[in-house]
Amino acid sequence: MADPPRKYDIVVLGATGYTGKLTTHFIAQRLPNDLQWAIAGRSRAKLHELAAELRLSHPDRSQPTIEIVDLEYQKQVEGVVQQARVCISVVSYWTVGTTVVDACVRHRTDYVDTSGDIPLIHSWIKKYHETAKASGVALIHACGVFAGPEDLLSWAAACELRDSFGESTKEIVLAVKELTSDPSGGTFESILQGEADQLQIDQANESKDPWHLSPIKGTSVSPQTNMFHLRKDPDLGLLSDSTVGILTNRAIVHRTWGLLQGSRSEYGPNFQYNEYQSVNSTLGGLSELIKSSVIETLMASPLLLRLLRLFMPAPGSGPDIKQSEKIPVKFQAIAKPDNESSPKVFASFSYPSGSYHTTALFLSQAAASLLYTKSLEGGLKGGCLTPATLGPDFLERVRSSGATITLSSPRQ
Ligand SMILES: NC(=O)c1ccc[n+]([C@@H]2O[C@H](COP(=O)([O-])OP(=O)(O)OC[C@H]3O[C@@H](n4cnc5c(N)ncnc54)[C@H](OP(=O)(O)O)[C@@H]3O)[C@@H](O)[C@H]2O)c1
């Protein structure tokens, strides 16, 4: 029996947060004008303020309905989620994130989030993947600036290698060219909560396993760096293995690989993903290394993290929006084939606005892809999935929103 029609196409939970607000502005500006959507949160006052802001900024566009929901109450969450076809969750994942995932699986509502916490995603996979798969509910995780573009670019480059040259991909080398990683208050809070959570502590070592989120294990990963953590790539130049998002991005890209392996969309059996910061000189590489060691030390010390909190934005706020939207996000990647005499594929991603705007774009267009198309790669129907499993439709939606994604190879 067909599902009864739902009141909303999309509901945004956590709409009043820093990333949530940016996402609602993106939806109002870019998604079709007949969209039926809702903004949901616990604060009536904040939701009315946001609704007024959206009316003022986008007076001719579809305006959202307000839904009051305290995510600590499962029944309230279910009450909202069951009215929507797709749920975007931009909430504090460690505290209330699981309630939203649970409600979406229960009420067969497709779902997108930006959770980048490997232990948390791992726990959701264990708990919900099979049920969601059986009932055809797509749960797209980590669909923000970490790990949306990295996953999509890796998938696009591996597809190009396979479809244009009949080659399997041995390695994706991704270089971060430009990316600001100043955290929002919510992101910092999430780091704090993660550090205090038993799940994170229990899984600290497993999270470093490159295949921890993949349904199957891949080959051993070799970052190929020297004693200064640098790698010289003939095409991408000097690279340092000190990127902020490496663990999450690699785990997600490898999950995509594992989900697609054995299907017509597979990358190849020897696949591995390695990510680096692009640097100009050995000195630049050393400074990146020092920076990442300092961040690592801070992250490992609950006391230092608490001290640092004094200098961080409060939850709900973040980097200055006008400033950050002027700082582009840029990645370059190379897909290297198993057969070394075959051509490589060069890929790039760039978006003129900042990293949180990139997150808003990825969340909104992933929701649109689920809503209007839902054509998942590799014959997937549902489960705990990744951004790239949304396939060509998602790629085109991201491109049509002002992001540039290029693919080329020397022979073309
Ligand atoms: N992977 C990525 O690339 C990426 C990018 C951006 C953000 N993120 C992640 O996204 C998450 C949100 O970040 P943010 O900076 O937007 O955080 P934020 O500004 O603190 O927003 C959190 C949202 O969750 C809501 N919330 C929390 N507890 C709630 C409850 N009990 N009931 C109802 N609503 C509740 C808050 O509501 P109130 O407004 O009422 O407080 C707010 O709307 C963080 O975990 C961050 O790490 C990831």
Side-chain angles (χ1 to χ4, degrees):
M1 203 172 68
D3 274 351
R6 299 197 175 195
K7 186 173 172 190
Y8 303 122
D9 295 322
I10 294 176
V11 61
V12 184
L13 285 176
T16 53
Y18 180 77
T19 316
K21 273 190 203 164
L22 284 173
T23 306
T24 61
H25 277 277
F26 189 98
I27 291 173
Q29 202 178 353
R30 293 278 189 168
L31 265 45
N33 213 11
D34 59 355
L35 187 82
Q36 301 295 316
W37 62 300
I39 50 175
R42 62 187 156 184
S43 162
R44 188 180 297 273
K46 281 191 196 175
L47 286 166
H48 278 283
E49 199 181 309
L50 174 60
E53 213 181 87
L54 290 168
R55 264 197 309 275
L56 196 67
S57 307
H58 319 282
D60 304 327
R61 309 289 301 168
S62 161
Q63 301 300 323
T65 302
I66 287 174
E67 289 282 353
I68 314 291
V69 50
D70 190 328
L71 300 176
E72 293 191 16
Y73 297 96
Q74 179 82 31
K75 284 280 166 239
Q76 288 188 23
V77 183
E78 292 190 19
V80 172
V81 156
Q82 67 186 350
Q83 298 183 63
R85 290 174 63 196
V86 181
C87 169
I88 296 178
S89 170
V90 222
V91 302
S92 318
Y93 298 111
W94 281 106
T95 46
V96 287
T98 305
T99 316
V100 184
V101 179
D102 195 282
C104 286
V105 174
R106 227 176 258 273
H107 294 282
R108 299 202 292 156
T109 302
D110 289 324
Y111 164 98
V112 193
D113 71 37
T114 63
S115 171
D117 303 292
I118 297 173
L120 203 53
I121 298 175
H122 188 260
S123 74
W124 292 342
I125 292 169
K126 261 173 71 181
K127 203 162 168 194
Y128 300 112
H129 178 71
E130 287 306 327
T131 319
K133 187 176 161 187
S135 52
V137 178
L139 308 166
I140 309 292
H141 301 296
C143 199
V145 73
F146 308 109
E150 300 85 345
D151 192 32
L152 195 59
L153 204 55
S154 300
W155 166 82
C159 286
E160 182 70 9
L161 209 46
R162 185 191 61 232
D163 298 342
S164 297
F165 305 104
E167 269 301 330
S168 50
T169 303
K170 184 177 179 192
E171 185 187 14
I172 296 279
V173 183
L174 183 136
V176 178
K177 301 299 264 186
E178 278 192 75
L179 178 70
T180 47
S181 47
D182 297 351
S184 66
T187 300
F188 191 73
E189 215 45 43
S190 172
I191 296 169
L192 270 180
Q193 285 160 3
E195 286 303 312
D197 197 282
Q198 194 55 41
L199 189 63
Q200 173 94 308
I201 296 163
D202 291 348
Q203 289 197 21
N205 282 331
E206 286 101 320
S207 293
K208 291 182 187 151
D209 169 4
W211 309 99
H212 190 49
L213 297 183
S214 172
I216 50 172
K217 291 275 170 204
T219 55
S220 65
V221 170
S222 55
Q224 304 173 33
T225 49
N226 65 17
M227 61 188 289
F228 300 120
H229 294 246
L230 293 171
R231 171 176 178 174
K232 182 115 175 70
D233 183 89
D235 305 299
L236 294 172
L238 199 58
L239 305 168
S240 158
D241 72 355
S242 57
T243 70
V244 180
I246 173 68
L247 290 184
T248 299
N249 298 339
R250 188 173 64 185
I252 292 294
V253 173
H254 284 174
R255 178 161 180 80
T256 305
W257 166 81
L259 288 166
L260 300 182
Q261 200 53 18
S263 77
R264 277 169 48 192
S265 311
E266 70 177 13
Y267 296 178
N270 305 315
F271 179 80
Q272 60 171 272
Y273 171 86
N274 288 307
E275 178 180 309
Y276 307 89
Q277 179 68 43
S278 191
V279 291
N280 291 329
S281 61
T282 303
L283 206 60
L286 284 177
S287 115
E288 284 299 327
L289 186 61
I290 293 168
K291 210 163 81 187
S292 70
S293 306
V294 170
I295 294 175
E296 222 170 274
T297 311
L298 286 171
M299 305 273 255
S301 159
L303 184 68
L304 289 176
L305 271 178
R306 262 158 229 294
L307 274 177
L308 195 61
R309 190 195 217 170
L310 300 173
F311 305 96
M312 287 291 152
S317 57
D320 182 85
I321 288 183
K322 290 276 167 250
Q323 287 298 323
S324 64
E325 74 184 350
K326 291 184 201 142
I327 306 170
V329 171
K330 287 187 185 171
F331 302 111
Q332 284 179 356
I334 306 268
K336 302 192 178 201
D338 268 317
N339 177 356
E340 284 178 14
S341 58
S342 291
K344 303 170 197 164
V345 167
F346 295 75
S348 72
F349 171 92
S350 67
Y351 189 57
S353 300
S355 47
Y356 282 87
H357 291 76
T358 306
T359 295
L361 151 70
F362 270 74
L363 279 172
S364 309
Q365 291 297 14
S369 182
L370 287 170
L371 180 66
Y372 298 114
T373 310
K374 198 173 176 186
S375 170
L376 302 173
E377 276 289 90
L380 294 166
K381 297 284 178 238
C384 291
L385 307 178
T386 55
T389 60
L390 292 168
D393 177 74
F394 185 41
L395 179 77
E396 284 319 310
R397 287 179 191 278
V398 170
R399 275 185 169 143
S400 71
S401 306
T404 305
I405 296 174
T406 64
L407 295 164
S408 63
S409 66
R411 267 201 216 160
Q412 285 179 322

